[in-house]
Amino acid sequence: MTGSASNGERSATSSTGTACRCAAAASRPDQVDDAIHLYNLGWSLARVGGHLGVNHATVLNKLRERGIHTRDTHGRWCVEADGVR
């Protein structure tokens, strides 16, 4: 079900009945820039997503779209196939 949030953004109700912002809200360039900055400070995807009000997978997708290298679940930078992080 889709409704209107008080701040004018679209919201959706998840299967658990909680309201969440649509992924479209996370595509604002300033919000993606904030996500990159916080992630580079060492914040986890979950923490960044919680701060911005979006799912951690949305944060990951936006980082990948911008070509940002990510860390594994232990905080180590992932090594690409060509050996560059």
Side-chain angles (χ1 to χ4, degrees), residues 13 15 24 28 31 36 41-42 46 52 59 69 75 80:
T13 303
S15 61
R28 291 193 341 241
Q31 196 171 24
I36 292 168
L41 287 176
L52 298 175
V59 176
H69 296 284
E80 303 296 327

Side-chain angles (χ1 to χ4, degrees), residues 39 69-79 85:
Y39 187 76
H69 296 284
T70 56
R71 299 182 298 270
D72 66 12
T73 57
H74 302 286
R76 299 177 297 228
W77 291 103
C78 295
V79 177
R85 81 165 202 153

Side-chain angles (χ1 to χ4, degrees), residues 56-76:
H56 70 278
T58 301
V59 176
L60 178 61
N61 290 336
K62 295 300 176 183
L63 293 178
R64 287 179 174 166
E65 285 176 10
R66 293 275 190 100
I68 304 300
H69 296 284
T70 56
R71 299 182 298 270
D72 66 12
T73 57
H74 302 286
R76 299 177 297 228

Side-chain angles (χ1 to χ4, degrees), residues 29-48:
D30 61 322
Q31 196 171 24
V32 176
D33 291 341
D34 288 346
I36 292 168
H37 176 73
L38 295 172
Y39 187 76
N40 285 332
L41 287 176
W43 286 31
S44 68
L45 294 172
R47 186 175 177 195
V48 173

